[in-house]
Amino acid sequence: MDEVLRLDAVGQAQAVRDGLVSARELAEAAIARIEALDGELNALVHRRFERALAELDAIPEDAPFRGVPTLLKDLGWRQTGEPYHAGSRVHDGLTAAPEGYGVARLREAGFVVLGRTNTPEFGSTITTEPVAFGATRNPYDPAYSAGGSSGGSAAAVAAGMVALATASDGGGSIRIPASLCGLVGLKPTRARVSLGPATGEGWSGFSCPGFVTRTVRDTAAALDAVSGTYPGDPYGAPELPGPLAGEVGRDPGRLRIRFLTTHPRGDVPEAPELTQAVTRAAALLESLGHDVAPGGPEALGDPEFSAHFGAIVANNVAAQVAALGRARGKQVGPDELEPRNAAMVAAASGHSAADHILATQWIDGFRRRMAAWWGAGHDLLLVPSLGVAPFPLGWIPPDDLSLALGRTGHAVAYTSPFNATGQPAVSLPLHRDAAGMPVGVQLVAAYGREDLLVRVAAQIEEATPFEHPAAR
């Protein structure tokens, strides 16, 4: 059974169809692995094992992922009747309603939801160490962070509890945990996956649902399962030429790829591990026949970006806290929040409605300047997935906001700009540092071009198969 658990989700689904394992046996094996490993890793905040097993018989025989176990990030991925915390003590006792379209489509595809995964409070930082549930530990070294905000999902997948888990990304929250846990993490194009029916957009369009997986084909197939626009969505993503699963193995042709090992903003310290990771990835891409050279969009170095991005995020966190207060019938006080989020709410109180609109208009201009670089004939940008080396738990201090803000700003320097532009970007596990910790590299495509990312990522995976020793 361990061999079946080591398969990716596509492989597990095939094993069930071929009769090599029953859906119940597969789910029970995943449950046993969670129970064996999660005491140390703390990836889950809620388990629904009995309910999951009871749901197996109702899954149609022809569901493509019938019986494949998965986990839902406890932020955004709402499931009817299940607890919902968003990493916060303030959510205690609340349940998720209504169920998200993405969750409904996962269940229609045959996935079995075993529980919900840990996340920092409101997903507003890059490490999963919430006061409410404690820290999630990295399977490669329990002293290290699994990243955030999808850290619980990433730790669970990296440890082999499940083949894939849901995630979301508002400033790097899919790509950063994927980098730190040695996984594939693709942030889709804005609106590729609907956030309905509970909301129209997350963080003013910055946040996108997605997955953390161990293989490119799992990422492609999972996104196919949940993608789509629903009536009432504020906007949709450009239509893809076909299913993303069909792009796996397709020749991407000779692409014009540019790479950066130093951030053009000039204030992000260069880490040797990141430089080595990008340099090696560039050499690999060149060996695969692509046109690879240094370069990148000039707009990426704009020193004003961080202030506008941060203001919009703070305003959205404040709105989330206000909505939570209304839902429970009592305003949320600053003493109920972690210091980081209390500070964001306080900062937002100093922003007028006009300030918010002006910030979004600045981002509109930034997005156009960034898009012009891809429009000039570039296909992909290669950069680090994370702006800092793998870091231990506690490195983002909860009680030193100035230090935490500075370190977080460096960490998201290569990810948050593409939340602002809405472009798809994928982190791939192509490097390890001297201590054996994973270091991801990131490829960014033009708006709407997940198909190109999947083709290239699969080409890379075929040339250099990804290894997942923590899942053994």
Side-chain angles (χ1 to χ4, degrees):
M1 186 56 67
D2 284 346
E3 291 183 3
V4 176
L5 282 181
R6 284 196 287 269
L7 296 173
D8 64 2
V10 173
Q12 290 179 5
Q14 188 63 52
V16 172
R17 283 194 295 272
D18 291 345
L20 301 178
V21 63
S22 71
R24 180 169 294 275
E25 288 171 335
L26 183 58
E28 289 176 342
I31 289 169
R33 190 163 177 88
I34 291 170
E35 290 178 329
L37 299 178
D38 199 44
E40 179 182 32
L41 297 181
N42 193 35
L44 278 71
V45 297
H46 173 63
R47 304 179 182 192
R48 59 183 310 274
F49 299 159
E50 291 185 7
R51 297 181 76 176
L53 293 173
E55 292 166 356
L56 286 171
D57 292 339
I59 300 174
E61 291 287 337
D62 61 351
F65 286 96
R66 182 175 179 271
V68 175
T70 191
L71 296 166
L72 303 179
K73 179 180 180 179
D74 196 26
L75 178 66
W77 291 84
R78 294 172 172 84
Q79 184 175 11
T80 299
E82 300 297 331
Y84 185 82
H85 300 94
S88 176
R89 296 167 290 179
V90 186
H91 268 284
D92 188 41
L94 296 180
T95 56
E99 182 160 290
Y101 293 143
V103 173
R105 294 190 68 165
L106 278 177
R107 296 172 73 186
E108 289 169 4
F111 284 100
V112 180
V113 177
L114 298 184
R116 303 185 66 80
T117 60
N118 204 5
T119 184
E121 186 177 62
F122 309 137
S124 61
T125 189
I126 60 164
T127 185
T128 301
E129 303 177 51
V131 171
F133 298 102
T136 292
R137 299 182 179 276
N138 193 309
Y140 284 86
D141 185 334
Y144 275 71
S145 173
S149 64
S150 306
S153 288
V157 174
M161 297 179 189
V162 291
L164 63 79
T166 72
S168 57
D169 192 317
S173 291
I174 291 174
R175 293 158 289 164
I176 289 171
S179 177
L180 291 171
C181 291
L183 302 174
V184 177
L186 193 159
K187 180 195 81 67
T189 295
R190 177 178 299 164
R192 181 68 66 201
V193 182
S194 175
L195 289 166
T199 187
E201 61 178 8
W203 281 12
S204 297
F206 294 166
S207 184
C208 303
F211 298 88
V212 283
T213 73
R214 294 197 293 267
T215 64
V216 175
R217 71 175 186 174
D218 268 9
T219 287
L223 283 173
D224 283 339
V226 301
S227 294
T229 303
Y230 287 78
D233 285 350
Y235 41 75
E239 187 174 350
L240 291 166
L244 287 174
E247 305 294 344
V248 176
R250 183 168 293 174
D251 184 359
R254 179 176 168 83
L255 301 177
R256 192 180 184 197
I257 303 172
R258 297 296 176 257
F259 67 92
L260 295 170
T261 57
T262 301
H263 199 284
R265 205 171 65 202
D267 64 345
V268 181
E270 188 173 353
E273 300 94 330
L274 310 185
T275 299
Q276 187 178 6
V278 171
T279 302
R280 289 182 59 190
L284 173 60
L285 286 163
E286 188 170 34
S287 75
L288 293 172
H290 300 294
D291 172 10
V292 182
E298 182 180 352
L300 189 61
D302 196 313
E304 294 187 43
F305 171 80
S306 295
H308 294 294
F309 184 88
I312 292 171
V313 171
N315 295 344
N316 277 271
V317 170
Q320 184 176 358
V321 170
L324 179 54
R326 291 178 184 177
R328 72 170 190 172
K330 178 185 175 184
Q331 184 176 351
V332 179
D335 58 325
E336 298 180 88
L337 301 172
E338 294 184 24
R340 172 189 68 259
N341 289 314
M344 286 190 183
V345 172
S349 68
H351 302 158
S352 69
D355 291 335
H356 182 78
I357 296 300
L358 288 171
T360 61
Q361 290 175 342
W362 190 95
I363 293 293
D364 289 341
F366 174 79
R367 182 169 58 248
R368 294 183 190 282
R369 286 187 286 146
M370 291 285 280
W373 186 81
W374 275 265
H378 301 97
D379 295 302
L380 296 174
L381 176 66
L382 169 65
V383 291
S385 299
L386 181 63
V388 298
F391 54 88
L393 292 167
W395 187 74
I396 302 292
D399 52 358
D400 187 337
L401 295 180
S402 177
L403 180 59
L405 181 63
R407 288 179 171 177
T408 301
H410 292 155
V412 303
Y414 293 102
T415 52
S416 60
F418 306 110
N419 294 91
T421 64
Q423 293 172 250
V426 63
S427 178
L428 299 175
L430 288 179
H431 189 66
R432 300 279 173 80
D433 68 10
M437 297 301 294
V439 176
V441 298
Q442 181 182 196
L443 289 167
V444 187
Y447 193 80
R449 294 304 309 272
E450 289 97 324
D451 58 323
L452 185 57
L453 282 183
V454 168
R455 285 181 216 165
V456 176
Q459 183 187 46
I460 290 171
E461 185 179 28
E462 182 179 8
T464 308
F466 306 147
E467 297 180 354
H468 304 286
R472 298 293 185 262

